[in-house]
Amino acid sequence: MSRPRIVIVGAGFAGYRTARTLSRLTRHQADITLLNPTDYFLYLPLLPQVAAGILEPRRVSVSLSGTLPHVRLVLGEADGIDLDGRTVHYTGPEGGEGTLAYDRLVLAAGSVNKLLPIPGVAEHAHGFRGLPEALYLRDHVTRQVELAAAADDRAERAARCTFVVVGAGYTGTEVAAHGAMYTDAQVRRHPMRTGMRPRWMLLDVAPRVMPEMDERLSRTAERVLRQRGVDVRMGTSVKEATHDGVVLTDGSTVDTRTLVWCVGVRPDPLVESLGLPMERGRLLVDPHLQVPGRPELFACGDVAAVPDLNQPGQYTPMTAQHAWRHGKVCAHNVVASLGRGQRRAYRHRDMGFVVDLGGAKAAANPLGLPMSGPAAGAVTRGYHLAAMPGNRVRVAADWLLDAVLPRQAVQLGLVRSWSVPLESSSPEVARVPGRPEQSGKDAGTAGTAGKHADGDEGKKQPGGEPAKGQPGGEPGRNQPGGEPGKNQPGGEPAKNQPGGEPAERGPDASAGSRSHGERAKRSQSGSPRASGKPRRAVEAAGPRSARGGSGKPGKSSRASGTGSAGKRPTAPSGPSRSAGQPADPGPEPPAHQPPPGPDIAPGPVRRTDGRAVEGDS
């Protein structure tokens, strides 16, 4: 008798827990495959500390192959599921395609950024859902403080030192709390920055900070924020975003170069293409996490609408606490469907919440006991160490070093603005130049907020850098809000120099534009692809809800599907460089090399002048 094949899509809180539990329960009597775009499980609750320079990125990244030794890891993003043929189609990190056959399928694809139809947000804001976005935010905030210190104009200095965070849920509150401490430390330790006053703003349409928590804890968090100088404005949000600032719903204008979007998340749109019953973008399942009428199909985490047996008629919220527990129950029920053990219905008990506000401050209510101050800080960090599936010693060591040593505020330059667009349906993977064009199914991921004014999404280029100085692109060099000029102190190396960027339009650029035009034309069709693989449906931006998703187990906001393998990055929404030319899609590799994927640099490109460009060795 052949061994049953179990495929798990996504390695977030739900998918990772399912794979780990299945590996133990099956005792090597089943083939378990985990499909995920990255080779790590991301512990999202500590991501704000990565952006604030407290933790190194690898501390919150738990190796999948190292902690799941009996699970086969396949790097890729699911883009089609054939329910009748029981196959999952995916695209690998270097553009190659593959198919996985299954006897049991677990969908744990997680969630993506939720956009609202607010002008300019998709072009000028950045989310906070993955490591690339956290690294970009740390570099960007550091750069703005350094540029402000060198600016002679007082208005420009104030704008660069103003940081606006939209969304006062768990993520937004922690980003603002840690960010204020980070910038204050930068200014305090540099004698040339005397007189600079970093300003952080936290906006939300909700009546109070973190409305999901107990009101006493909400007041505690707001008090800590205000003590650190954070301008907390409830009942206020962004009406329009521009390169130079934001217009608020109360009519005021704030000059800023930084807009962090922490409004919330929505289920990964992969599940919409299945044509099965849905509940507000989530796949309907029974209390055993099984899809009715499909005994081989299970779903858990943010993509699953799981009935709440403690509150009849309700569904469990999109929190990491639920996703982590979903994974364990789902694994037991998958094994039961193979003839071993009994099925379990999902029931839960609220364990409380913890919110890290930086330093020794936190707000927590473990087991319903409200706490604040240093005691809450100790409970919060102890909880994180206990909840992490790995790297505990390294995290504790970083916390100890941060307590006794100053933080290193330097720009690494690893992630650019156009590499982490807000409308990306795969925030855990940074975009790189030259990435092969994706199918049309991602063309509308941003909803109305991410489209061009004329609605022509086919003009977006694959992996290309938005036009400099244009709406949606990076600011012009040497302009207010822009990066330093080439070959200037703190700037990037000049084009065509060692370590520089490739030429704007190399010999292969026209060919790349033509091939993209054909692909974009094909992607306009809303029907499934010719191969029979369904095109992923895209949910239009909905009303704001409480922050949900893979936050810390115990938080009601962060998405549980960090490793959402069902997501594929969309093309950048920036306009073309000129009226007659499309944006530069980056250098294309020669014919004898495979197209570069999202995690590798472009291959060598031969120039007509005989000189080497980036990627040549």
Side-chain angles (χ1 to χ4, degrees), residues 486-507:
K486 307 291 185 183
N487 293 333
Q488 298 300 321
E492 298 173 352
K495 310 278 184 176
N496 302 328
Q497 297 299 323
E501 295 179 351
E504 291 277 342
R505 297 191 63 83

Side-chain angles (χ1 to χ4, degrees), residues 16 45 56 58 134 160 183 264 273 300 302 334 362 368 417 427 436 453 478 492 528 548 563 570:
Y16 181 87
E56 290 302 312
R58 287 183 296 176
R160 291 191 182 280
T183 53
S273 65
C300 54
D302 287 356
V334 168
S417 173
N478 299 328
E492 298 173 352
T570 59

